Amino acid sequence: MTQEEKNNMVVQKWEELVCALSAAGYTTDPRKFREVVASIQTGCRPSKKKSGADCYYGNPGPKEKKAERKSTFDSTIKGSYTGVSKFQTWKEQEKHLEEKIKGVDRHYFDKFCRHTGILLESYYLSSDKIYDIVVPQVKKQFEDTSPKKDPRPSGTVNMTIIKKYGVKVF
C-alpha cells in the first residue's frame, strides 16, 4: 500500500468514526473522544450535552447518576482538577468546590496508551472521597498569598490514591 493509499484510508476511517459518533448523538469534538470511548467501555452512557456531567451510570431514567471523567496518556493513571474558579473567601471557595466535586456521584480516571489511543485502565472514586482529597490541596493554595502566574487553585489525584481508594472497572 502506498503512502497516498494509507492517507486516504486514514481519512476514510476518520470520516466513518465522526459519522458514527454523530449518528449516535455523541460529540464529534476530537478533544472529547476519549470521554465517549471510555464511557462506553466502562458501561456508562456518554453525555450528549456540551456541559454538565461527562457521562451517566446506573439504570437510565430518574435514578441514573452523573459522573466526571479525567484521562491521561502519562505512564501512570492520574487526574487533575485545574482551572478551579477562585473566590474571595474560603467559605465561598469551599461551597464552590462542594458544588463542583459533589455535583456528580463518581469521578472516573482513565489511562490511555499514548501510542495507540486505546484505553488501558479505568477506576472510579466517589465524589466524597475526591472532595476529601482535593479540598485540602486547594485550601493550602488558597491560603498561600505569594504571587502566582495562574491564581486559580487546583488539585491532583495521583495513582497511589486512585489504586488505594478506587474501584477498577477496566
Side-chain angles (χ1 to χ4, degrees):
M1 185 181 286
T2 68
Q3 187 61 49
E4 185 177 353
E5 290 169 328
K6 289 176 185 176
N7 291 347
N8 288 338
M9 185 179 72
V10 167
V11 170
Q12 179 186 353
K13 296 293 182 191
W14 175 260
E15 289 171 350
E16 288 173 12
L17 172 63
V18 171
C19 288
L21 287 164
S22 179
Y26 302 132
T27 181
T28 55
D29 181 345
R31 295 167 297 182
K32 303 294 251 173
F33 285 174
R34 289 184 299 200
E35 285 177 9
V36 171
V37 169
S39 294
I40 293 168
Q41 288 187 286
T42 58
C44 296
R45 183 177 63 80
S47 178
K48 294 181 179 182
K49 299 175 185 172
K50 292 189 182 217
S51 62
D54 294 328
C55 64
Y56 302 87
Y57 68 96
N59 293 327
K63 293 187 178 183
E64 189 171 49
K65 298 191 176 192
K66 299 175 185 177
E68 169 89 6
R69 297 200 91 93
K70 302 289 183 185
S71 67
T72 186
F73 283 115
D74 286 350
S75 59
T76 60
I77 195 165
K78 64 183 173 189
S80 297
Y81 293 80
T82 57
V84 175
S85 299
K86 181 158 182 170
F87 290 84
Q88 294 297 314
T89 68
W90 175 247
K91 187 176 180 179
E92 292 172 311
Q93 188 73 55
E94 195 171 29
K95 182 177 186 264
H96 172 72
L97 289 168
E98 185 168 353
E99 290 169 357
K100 187 93 172 139
I101 295 171
K102 292 186 177 184
V104 297
D105 298 284
R106 286 182 182 168
H107 293 250
Y108 283 83
F109 298 88
D110 306 315
K111 178 182 163 189
F112 289 83
C113 176
R114 89 169 49 248
H115 302 292
T116 64
I118 293 172
L119 180 64
L120 299 175
E121 60 183 328
S122 180
Y123 292 77
Y124 72 80
L125 280 77
S126 72
S127 60
D128 288 334
K129 181 53 77 177
I130 296 299
Y131 184 82
D132 292 344
I133 293 163
V134 172
V135 168
Q137 295 174 25
V138 172
K139 185 172 188 183
K140 184 176 179 183
Q141 293 171 36
F142 185 87
E143 292 171 344
D144 180 0
T145 57
S146 62
K148 296 170 194 66
K149 212 174 203 179
D150 184 353
R152 296 174 299 175
S154 62
T156 301
V157 181
N158 64 32
M159 178 187 72
T160 304
I161 291 169
I162 292 168
K163 291 191 174 189
K164 182 176 181 179
Y165 298 109
V167 174
K168 188 170 188 169
V169 292
F170 188 90

